[in-house]
Amino acid sequence: LAQQRLLIKGGKVVNDDCSVVADVYVEDGVVQQVGPNLNPEPSTGLVVLDATNKLVIPGGIDTHTHMQFPFMGSRSKDDFYTGTKAAIAGGTTMIIDFAIPQKGCSLIEAFDTWKSWADPKVCCDYSLHVAVTWWSNKVKEEMKTLVQNKGVNSFKMFMAYKDVYMVNDEELYAAFSCCKELGAVAQVHAENGELIAQGAKKMLSMGITGPEGHELCRPEEVEAEATQRAITIANAVNCPLFVVHVMSKSAAKVISNARREGKVVYGEPIAASLGTDGTNYWNKDWAHAAAYVMGPPLRPDPSTPGFLMSLLANDDLSVTGTDNCTFDICQKALGKDDFTKIPNGVNGVEDRMSVIWEKGVYSGKMDENRFVAVTSTNAAKIFNLYPKKGRIAVGSDADIVIWDPKATRTISAKTHHQANNFNIFEGMVCHGVPVATVSRGKVVYEGGAFNVIAGEGKYVSHPPFPPYVYKRVRQREQV
């Protein structure tokens, strides 16, 4: 592919630490110059984008997606093509998906399987976290191989989904210890799986079969307890911890308190927990209620999204993903008589940037620089991609979005590009809209039109020992 030479003129370049009015010149997929009044020669063959009165920001990094994920008797609707295409339309230029082996199965085979699904389809860059769903010496050896040869530096452990993915405290301790040795970031899905299993039985025995039962059997304290336990175990082995999809005020407080105590822990609220709430589970329309079912559930306390956004704005929480795992209304109907059979997952990969701008920046909780930090830069730092990703600077990858903070759009399933017939943010008016998206120096989306080819995105390796995370860990080890 002939690389475009690209000049973005007249915009305000926003990084996580400063904003400056400047032009950006891109060649061979990399930023070559940032400064006022650039006039690169020759002018022939130069693509010029006018960004006057707009912001020029690093492309979003979605730290949490599940494309074409086989789960709960179904497979998520967004595959790596529709999912990454929707991402680009929303201003996200990189996703990190999860390769998840069944218990007893090979982590490397899971990694290779997911990569084989993604490589021919992705429209933007991607990488993979790998889940540890069981423990043995083989798992330990495979983790080492993944880190040293496959560019993986993060492993996710499930504390929920009993008998499917869940690991116990002993296995958590072993996995965290291994992550620490290898220079990887340990991730947890923090919910008490045993309490959920017992709670679900109790709800069904009481005749509660609808989507509200999903939230009732896994209340906030189940999430907060597991979050506290994961932080305690990680701290015991001096391993950095990343808590995925923070859904409740109480779990967020646990993370916030741990950070203030100096523990190396990062919290990831998602577009869903920042943009909507769990009152929907009690909607009279079953299909509407079921569409919001995800694990951990959205919380019925309507003050939750604002609370999480305030913590995100003030660095108690660090990054944002989406947990994009879309199931349509027919798939959700697998659980029409039993909420435990409703496939868990919601949309968000296309909506995240606008939802966070609306609820965070437009509301006055955070500024444009913090927006860039929580949608892109912090993720790049934690997973050791910075400053190639997450920054607009000379030498950085040209993953860039021209963002119009004044424009508005109304989110709707009728107009979104996610492969689903429902949108949990239906009808939300968002200020802040991506006007153009640039991936690896190519304009892939502009003014509502795509210019993408399946497989054009690249797999990005994550080196171990990200300095942003491990500097403190290493020093503590020595002390």
Side-chain angles (χ1 to χ4, degrees), residues 3-9 23-33 38 40 42 44-50 56 398-402 436-444 446:
Q3 289 286 353
Q4 285 179 318
R5 288 171 61 238
L6 181 65
L7 179 65
I8 301 171
K9 282 196 77 71
D23 298 346
V24 180
Y25 174 59
V26 172
E27 203 175 313
D28 298 327
V30 175
V31 176
Q32 306 289 347
Q33 289 175 285
L38 298 180
T44 49
L46 183 68
V47 177
V48 180
L49 288 177
D50 181 12
V56 180
D399 291 347
I400 298 169
V401 176
I402 298 177
T437 305
V438 177
S439 171
R440 287 191 171 259
K442 177 186 162 183
V443 181
V444 287
E446 186 182 6

Side-chain angles (χ1 to χ4, degrees), residues 31-325:
V31 176
Q32 306 289 347
Q33 289 175 285
V34 180
N37 307 318
L38 298 180
N39 282 307
E41 295 294 330
S43 56
T44 49
L46 183 68
V47 177
V48 180
L49 288 177
D50 181 12
T52 309
N53 297 328
K54 297 182 182 65
L55 308 179
V56 180
I57 63 174
I61 300 172
D62 188 338
T63 49
H64 192 148
T65 65
H66 297 283
M67 304 303 177
Q68 59 197 70
F69 178 34
F71 187 49
M72 292 182 73
S74 205
R75 184 182 283 259
S76 61
K77 292 288 285 185
D78 279 306
D79 66 7
F80 280 96
Y81 177 68
T82 60
T84 52
K85 196 173 161 186
I88 287 165
T92 288
T93 54
M94 181 173 179
I95 62 164
I96 315 183
D97 208 88
F98 287 85
I100 304 181
Q102 297 296 325
K103 278 190 187 290
C105 295
S106 159
L107 275 65
I108 291 170
E109 281 175 24
F111 173 87
D112 290 341
T113 298
W114 257 260
K115 199 164 179 302
S116 73
W117 291 341
D119 283 341
K121 291 184 180 176
V122 285
C123 302
C124 66
D125 287 359
Y126 82 101
S127 53
L128 293 167
H129 310 289
V130 178
V132 173
T133 53
W134 62 297
W135 190 255
S136 69
N137 281 333
K138 180 188 178 204
V139 171
K140 189 174 181 178
E141 284 308 306
E142 290 200 323
M143 287 171 74
K144 187 174 174 183
T145 304
L146 286 164
V147 170
Q148 292 174 351
N149 305 331
K150 304 276 193 178
V152 172
N153 76 356
S154 47
F155 295 93
K156 176 183 180 181
M157 282 57 78
F158 289 88
M159 300 169 78
Y161 298 116
K162 192 183 175 193
D163 302 329
V164 184
Y165 298 135
M166 182 174 135
V167 292
N168 62 31
D169 289 0
E170 183 186 358
E171 293 168 317
L172 274 183
Y173 187 94
F176 288 174
S177 302
C178 187
C179 285
K180 157 87 181 334
E181 277 168 41
L182 296 171
V185 177
Q187 299 179 299
V188 285
H189 171 133
E191 283 185 292
N192 186 316
E194 187 56 54
L195 288 181
I196 292 167
Q198 299 298 338
K201 277 186 210 156
K202 184 177 163 190
M203 290 302 140
L204 292 171
S205 73
M206 292 163 66
I208 298 171
T209 59
E212 71 280 9
H214 176 74
E215 205 283 331
L216 292 170
C217 79
R218 42 210 306 168
E220 269 195 44
E221 53 261 47
V222 170
E223 185 189 356
E225 182 278 328
T227 303
Q228 181 66 57
R229 183 157 40 102
I231 290 169
T232 305
I233 297 169
N235 193 53
V237 295
N238 192 21
C239 171
L241 184 68
F242 185 100
V243 182
V244 303
H245 50 42
V246 179
M247 303 301 289
S248 64
K249 289 161 79 168
S250 45
K253 282 176 193 161
V254 168
I255 294 165
S256 171
N257 291 339
R259 284 174 69 83
R260 287 170 197 202
E261 288 160 10
K263 298 189 171 88
V264 183
V265 57
Y266 306 95
E268 170 202 74
I270 58 172
S273 63
L274 295 164
T276 184
D277 64 55
T279 54
N280 291 286
Y281 296 131
W282 280 265
N283 192 291
K284 293 279 183 275
D285 176 355
W286 188 93
H288 176 103
Y292 288 81
V293 168
M294 63 171 299
L298 292 154
R299 301 304 173 187
D301 175 352
S303 66
T304 302
F307 183 87
L308 294 176
M309 186 61 80
S310 296
L311 264 56
L312 184 65
N314 296 300
D315 206 32
D316 290 311
L317 299 172
S318 306
V319 297
T320 55
T322 58
D323 198 3
N324 191 92
C325 187

